[in-house]
Amino acid sequence: MTAPAIELKGISKAFGPVQANKDISIRVKPGTIHGIIGENGAGKSTLMSILYGFYKADAGEIFIKGDKTEIPDSQAAIAAGIGMVFQHFKLVENFTVLENIILGAEDGGLLKQSLSKARKTLIELEKEYGLNVDPDAVIQDLGVGMQQRVEILKALYRQANILILDEPTGVLTPAEADQLFRILERLKEEGKTIILITHKLREIMDITDTVSVMRRGEMTATVRTPDTSPEELAELMVGRKVLLRVDKAPAKPGDTILDIKGLQVKDDKGVERLKGIDLHVRAGEILGVAGVAGNGQSELLEVLGGTMTAAGDVTLSGEPVDLTGKHSDGQSRRKRGIAHVPEDRQRQGLIMDFAAWENTAFGYHHDINYQRGVLMNNAAIRIDTAAKMERFDVRPPNPNLAAKNFSGGNQQKVVLAREIERNPDLLLIGQPTRGVDIGAIEFIHQQIVALRDQGKAILLISVELDEILGLSDRIAVMFDGQIMGERLPSETNEKELGLLMAGITDTDKPHSAEEVAQNLAHSHGEVR
Amino acid sequence: MQKMPQWAEVVLVPLISLFLAAILSALVILGIGEDPIEAVNLMITGALGSTYGWGYTLYYATNFMFTGLAVAVAYHAGLFNIGGEGQATLGGLGVALVCLMLPWPHWSLALIAAILGSALFGAFWAMIPGYLQARRGSHIVITTIMFNFIAAALMNYVLVNMLRPAGSMDPATERFPEAVHLPSLHDVLAVFGINFSKAAPANVSLLIAMIACLLVWILIWRTRLGYEIRSFGKSESAARYAGIAPARITIITMLLSGALAGCMAINNVMGEAERLVLNAVEGAGFIGIAVALMGRSHPFGVFLAAILFGFLYQGGAELALWTSIPRELIVVIQALVILFTGALDNMVRAPLEKVFLAMRRAPKSERKTQAAE
């Protein structure tokens, strides 16, 4: 048997009292794709950071091709043949592909020589692995999928034999993800070893050969992928049986609650982010808005939530909603019965330094029940918070704990409890389960469906197609500030939605991934 | 999880910082060939050894409480108001106008009017930078410091050309009438049968400053406005989401901050000088920044830090009087205190956090080994 490409023995790492990695051992066979799956905070990223030399392990050993190797910094990791593709790309936006690739690997004081040498190597690499990237393209003109390929090329240029990818599909459309997986397969055929970190069960099932599951800093299992199932993996991740499918009865839609006509938004730079949108949401239904991040969904939510001004006609239960004037702020929206769970709970939904009880009053601090004369009735807010925390199973149920000390899932529950318990007519909800662990996802989805069943209108925005397909009663797809079309979840699939998300409406015809990527590059797509 | 217990955060960190600053100051004093122990003795007896010394210490502390609170309130909204100097200068103008323009039957009525006048003038002076930041995006740090210079120039003009009594060579107003003279701490404490130095300038404004500390505490932690100010200070994007208008909060906070700085004038102008002179603020606006920094922008912390700086001020003056240590050295010592308590905060905090973490983990592992036995 050949030596494993990478072997970790007894890796442990603690941050203060938190044990991020506990006695972790894995062996990754050369020329395979090895998945590492786990919830947020399970210790995946810490482990990879140790492997890439960002952190020093408290204990344990690393073997590369059977040799014990010390990795004190990322230079050492690169020297050992490890390449890393981060979730957030580390590219210089206004440099060309070629310039980015040699960055930090220049040969001498003068660039010209390195550039021409790099160009030759790069063209060889591209041919070898079937990566189509123009070396002279400027990064900011490239779509996300292309940028990711540049990151992969960067690693290959540095002669990486082991490629680590951290949540690589987070920003990709399904078509782009497929394309990425084809590249990974090709790399594997050429003998590279790939470690794929993800929280998406489907990706693990589709592409990996073996998979390791992490939970609370420990490696709970390593199995061959064909021998396992998504259900089993989920259970290993969470530690109990999890319902992966959203369980809901068919919707019984009532009157139109939210009606949007010709909504237009320009950002600070005068770029049109919404180009005349028509949408409606009825009582008792969930309208899911799908799209690659950065195509106008955020702006839609901000306008409706009252943090951005816009032009157009919006009515709520038949009454017009002020989009520019005095009543276009968040307070006015709340008074109208619009609750808003924002996309980014750490920047908008919560104040991380505030205690849970202060966050529960957030946005509703004018509520008469929270006042005592001219002062705020902090005691009443605390009691109310404790009750809400219990109903939404927030752990730990301590109203005095600062928001930053809760896990992502529990932070989201604090926000949800605050917004849902206001019994709104319309709930705006963005990325409800971003950075939330599987166990909490199930609970959050149940709460959203329960609100729908009470006859409330819900506008859901998510970049997770699974979530859109599972939760929505109707799906609208956004691309470049426009609605590309509406579909019923029962009559569509990921492929069709994926093409719509790339702005391609004739979804019956086959389309190449290049076409999709090119199209997306012209939209405002994320990572700008 | 809290890394350190609250008391360590609030008490231990500043004390250690202070201790380090003291050691460094001692080295500096040694360096110029003086005896640091003697110097400390002199400072303590000079500032705290008599009611006369206390009278000066508390007089300075009153100034610093107002300017410290001004910085603290703005800080909670994420605004760095370093224009306390100018706002207090304008506050002096407000006090002078109130005291000179109207006939006052009793000091208490005059005091209320003077508080309003000084607050109004100080608030106005802070509102302009507040407005410029909220509506025009001019950074408040730049504008407030500019406004200090404008205030100084304005005061020069007003005193020389408008308020100077005819025939006087001194750029100052005439003395305030007898009726508006504030009772000194000597008068106040005499009511309770306590004997306090008659010559010291501490006066009833100290009580106003202490009430201001309490009111600021209530404002910040018990009112909706304070809640909005804190929210805005912690996260502007979140505040916007909650429907808290950034421009409104910026302007209101600056009004409050300027009003507090302006109120300092009831102490130095109305209580002590009893007339308005040039450069009446004497840098108290800047000391306020250090006071707020050291007091962690908490009104009680500001109260304590103000007294500490009052002590340094008065002790320093004594030092300059009785030794050959120059007055400038006191500025060095003050600067060291600011450096250690403010800028080098993490130097003390980080190791201390480690100590506490280690202490927390140690008992647990001990228990484990005991269980194993």
Side-chain angles (χ1 to χ4, degrees):
Chain A
M1 197 186 116
T2 51
I6 281 197
E7 182 170 12
L8 303 178
K9 274 190 189 162
I11 298 281
S12 289
K13 173 78 188 169
F15 296 103
V18 183
Q19 191 78 32
N21 283 164
K22 234 179 292 177
D23 192 23
I24 288 183
S25 302
I26 31 174
R27 301 156 68 99
V28 181
K29 267 191 248 163
T32 61
I33 300 183
H34 189 106
I36 294 184
I37 195 164
E39 300 191 306
N40 295 290
K44 294 172 295 187
S45 298
T46 306
L47 189 63
M48 289 309 121
S49 297
I50 290 170
L51 200 47
Y52 202 60
F54 285 162
Y55 297 141
K56 196 183 172 310
D58 299 338
E61 293 170 323
I62 299 171
F63 296 86
I64 310 260
K65 285 191 206 139
D67 300 325
K68 187 167 182 306
T69 312
E70 293 288 336
I71 304 180
D73 53 33
S74 53
Q75 290 295 332
I78 292 168
I82 299 173
M84 185 107 167
V85 176
F86 293 93
Q87 192 175 1
H88 300 285
F89 307 145
K90 314 240 180 271
L91 296 171
V92 182
E93 293 271 303
N94 51 358
F95 273 20
T96 63
V97 170
L98 199 58
E99 286 169 330
N100 264 292
I101 281 173
I102 63 161
L103 189 66
E106 306 92 343
D107 294 322
L110 291 174
L111 274 185
K112 198 160 181 197
Q113 226 179 342
S114 325
L115 279 173
S116 57
K117 201 184 104 191
R119 185 182 298 276
K120 241 170 67 194
T121 321
L122 192 61
I123 289 168
E124 279 165 24
L125 281 174
E126 289 191 11
K127 229 180 268 161
E128 194 176 348
Y129 299 108
L131 295 151
N132 272 318
V133 185
D134 172 11
D136 297 313
V138 178
I139 295 296
Q140 59 197 8
D141 299 335
L142 296 177
V144 186
M146 279 293 178
Q147 294 190 5
Q148 194 169 48
R149 284 189 213 177
V150 177
E151 284 283 6
I152 294 173
L153 272 170
K154 245 167 82 179
L156 294 175
Y157 183 77
R158 285 159 178 72
Q159 293 167 347
N161 283 313
I162 302 157
L163 208 56
I164 305 170
L165 294 105
D166 190 3
E167 302 279 358
T169 59
V171 289
L172 302 183
T173 62
E176 286 175 310
D178 281 348
Q179 182 75 0
L180 171 70
F181 289 161
R182 248 174 286 156
I183 293 170
L184 294 185
E185 292 281 359
R186 181 77 174 268
L187 288 167
K188 179 175 116 177
E189 279 164 27
E190 303 286 336
K192 305 280 182 194
T193 308
I194 292 161
I195 298 179
L196 181 73
I197 304 166
T198 182
H199 68 278
K200 292 183 187 167
L201 291 164
R202 199 163 35 85
E203 284 170 11
I204 291 284
M205 297 309 296
D206 282 356
I207 187 165
T208 62
D209 300 306
T210 39
V211 51
S212 299
V213 184
M214 289 188 74
R215 170 152 52 101
R216 289 188 197 148
E218 287 179 87
M219 197 64 89
T220 49
T222 298
V223 288
R224 281 176 22 120
T225 311
D227 299 342
T228 187
S229 65
E231 287 76 17
E232 189 193 11
L233 287 178
E235 195 178 333
L236 284 167
M237 275 164 76
V238 185
R240 62 176 169 85
K241 278 219 181 304
V242 186
L243 195 61
L244 290 175
R245 212 167 31 79
V246 182
D247 197 14
K248 65 179 173 101
K252 299 186 200 81
D255 299 336
T256 297
I257 297 292
L258 177 73
D259 198 9
I260 302 172
K261 286 208 173 72
L263 192 67
Q264 287 176 308
V265 167
K266 279 194 182 138
D267 66 10
D268 305 339
K269 292 177 199 124
V271 179
E272 229 181 354
R273 306 306 297 241
L274 291 183
K275 303 174 174 172
I277 290 215
D278 301 322
L279 273 181
H280 71 279
V281 191
R282 290 168 295 182
E285 78 168 347
I286 301 175
L287 173 70
V289 178
V292 177
N295 277 283
Q297 310 96 303
S298 307
E299 285 78 4
L300 177 63
L301 215 56
E302 299 238 337
V303 167
L304 296 173
T307 48
M308 204 177 226
T309 55
D313 291 311
V314 175
T315 59
L316 187 74
S317 311
E319 298 287 319
V321 173
D322 187 2
L323 294 178
T324 50
K326 212 168 153 247
H327 300 290
S328 63
D329 67 329
Q331 283 298 320
S332 311
R333 294 288 194 271
R334 285 178 180 82
K335 274 186 208 126
R336 291 288 298 272
I338 300 177
H340 179 190
V341 177
E343 287 186 290
D344 189 339
R345 61 177 166 272
Q346 305 203 343
R347 277 190 67 248
Q348 292 197 295
L350 295 167
I351 291 189
M352 302 308 278
D353 287 338
F354 273 13
W357 69 268
E358 287 174 296
N359 273 306
T360 294
F362 198 52
Y364 299 98
H365 51 282
H366 293 291
D367 183 342
I368 194 76
N369 295 322
Y370 290 167
Q371 319 297 326
R372 192 177 50 200
V374 291
L375 303 183
M376 284 181 88
N377 191 346
N378 294 351
I381 302 173
R382 279 199 182 88
I383 291 168
D384 189 35
T385 305
K388 282 179 176 154
M389 287 175 109
E390 196 187 317
R391 280 196 289 276
F392 275 74
D393 191 29
V394 180
R395 272 173 273 180
N398 176 3
N400 295 320
L401 202 62
K404 63 181 172 198
N405 295 326
F406 288 96
S407 72
N410 284 302
Q411 287 173 359
Q412 188 71 327
K413 284 187 198 169
V414 170
V415 179
L416 273 173
R418 178 180 76 204
E419 301 300 329
I420 288 183
E421 297 253 316
R422 289 279 152 185
N423 203 18
D425 296 331
L426 170 67
L427 178 70
L428 309 169
I429 183 161
Q431 319 299 351
T433 54
R434 179 186 276 171
V436 167
D437 21 280
I438 292 197
I441 288 178
E442 188 187 359
F443 178 85
I444 289 171
H445 284 170
Q446 282 166 0
Q447 295 302 317
I448 296 173
V449 172
L451 191 71
R452 179 203 75 167
D453 291 342
Q454 289 167 33
K456 308 297 182 183
I458 294 167
L459 179 68
L460 164 76
I461 281 174
S462 177
V463 291
E464 301 273 351
L465 263 190
D466 288 345
E467 182 162 80
I468 293 277
L469 278 164
L471 265 183
S472 313
D473 300 312
R474 204 149 51 81
I475 300 171
V477 184
M478 272 185 92
F479 168 74
D480 202 18
Q482 288 161 302
I483 301 287
M484 285 291 116
E486 285 188 17
R487 298 285 186 277
L488 292 175
S490 53
E491 292 167 10
T492 187
N493 54 44
E494 296 214 348
K495 196 155 167 265
E496 187 187 24
L497 292 178
L499 286 171
L500 285 169
M501 282 161 71
I504 296 165
T505 39
D506 49 345
T507 47
D508 299 335
K509 212 176 81 188
H511 292 269
S512 72
E514 270 74 23
E515 198 180 337
V516 170
Q518 232 168 32
N519 234 359
L520 275 171
H522 289 297
S523 78
H524 297 300
E526 166 140 353
V527 199
R528 263 287 140 94
Chain B
M1 175 167 356
Q2 219 75 36
K3 285 185 180 148
M4 280 195 286
Q6 192 76 23
W7 64 269
E9 173 91 25
V10 184
V11 181
L12 208 54
V13 173
L15 277 186
I16 293 177
S17 304
L18 206 59
F19 181 67
L20 291 174
I23 288 182
L24 213 59
S25 305
L27 289 177
V28 173
I29 293 175
L30 267 180
I32 61 167
E34 294 280 341
D35 180 4
I37 307 273
E38 167 127 10
V40 170
N41 259 333
L42 209 62
M43 282 178 81
I44 290 178
T45 43
L48 310 174
S50 63
T51 58
Y52 175 81
W54 269 105
Y56 269 96
T57 299
L58 290 177
Y59 163 72
Y60 291 127
T62 307
N63 285 343
F64 303 153
M65 275 176 218
F66 282 119
T67 53
L69 285 176
V71 176
V73 166
Y75 185 79
H76 279 290
L79 301 168
F80 198 38
N81 176 15
I82 54 177
E85 193 78 8
Q87 291 141 22
T89 303
L90 261 283
L93 187 60
V95 166
L97 292 178
V98 164
C99 291
L100 291 171
M101 298 299 160
L102 296 167
W104 293 102
H106 193 262
W107 64 266
S108 56
L109 293 175
L111 178 61
I112 293 167
I115 290 172
L116 291 176
S118 59
L120 213 65
F121 273 64
F124 165 72
W125 208 244
M127 188 197 74
I128 305 171
Y131 173 85
L132 289 174
Q133 160 131 351
R135 300 282 179 207
R136 290 276 169 272
S138 325
H139 203 283
I140 212 144
V141 169
I142 309 291
T143 44
T144 49
I145 201 158
M146 296 292 195
F147 267 66
N148 289 338
F149 292 101
I150 302 176
L154 178 73
M155 191 55 65
N156 210 333
Y157 177 84
V158 170
L159 280 177
V160 171
N161 296 301
M162 298 164 84
L163 294 177
R164 182 171 52 97
S168 165
M169 298 292 281
D170 189 13
T173 65
E174 58 183 309
R175 290 195 77 80
F176 298 160
E178 195 65 36
V180 304
H181 288 186
L182 293 181
S184 69
L185 225 48
H186 167 84
D187 305 328
V188 175
L189 291 175
V191 177
F192 304 100
I194 300 168
N195 196 18
F196 198 85
S197 166
K198 202 171 177 167
N203 59 73
V204 72
S205 306
L206 173 65
L207 301 179
I208 307 288
M210 287 161 71
I211 293 170
C213 287
L214 183 67
L215 289 178
V216 166
W217 181 80
I218 291 173
L219 168 79
I220 296 292
W221 277 285
R222 286 292 182 275
T223 67
R224 264 179 289 170
L225 178 61
Y227 179 84
E228 293 193 339
I229 288 175
R230 284 187 297 131
S231 303
F232 174 69
K234 293 279 187 203
S235 166
E236 182 173 344
S237 50
R240 210 181 279 274
Y241 155 80
I244 298 166
R248 186 179 144 260
I249 292 294
T250 302
I251 294 173
I252 291 181
T253 307
M254 283 309 283
L255 283 172
L256 288 169
S257 175
L260 283 162
C263 277
M264 184 195 119
I266 61 167
N267 186 46
N268 69 332
V269 177
M270 194 175 180
E272 199 251 354
E274 297 178 342
R275 61 181 189 143
L276 183 59
V277 298
L278 261 187
N279 193 21
V281 182
E282 291 184 303
F286 291 114
I287 302 285
I289 300 168
V291 167
L293 219 56
M294 187 164 184
R296 311 227 146 268
S297 291
H298 191 287
F300 188 64
V302 167
F303 173 77
L304 292 180
I307 291 178
L308 172 75
F309 274 83
F311 157 75
L312 286 176
Y313 233 63
Q314 170 56 14
E318 291 286 320
L319 217 51
L321 193 63
W322 300 110
T323 68
S324 57
I325 298 175
R327 210 188 163 124
E328 283 68 36
L329 197 74
I330 306 311
V331 181
V332 172
I333 294 174
Q334 282 164 2
L336 283 172
V337 171
I338 296 169
L339 189 68
F340 276 90
T341 55
L344 297 182
D345 187 55
N346 260 336
M347 198 178 74
V348 176
R349 186 178 300 265
L352 209 58
E353 276 172 358
K354 271 197 191 137
V355 170
F356 274 98
L357 278 178
M359 272 164 44
R360 197 178 303 168
R361 221 175 310 162
K364 260 186 221 156
S365 49
E366 266 165 36
R367 252 178 266 142
K368 232 180 249 167
T369 42
Q370 276 169 1
E373 284 162 12

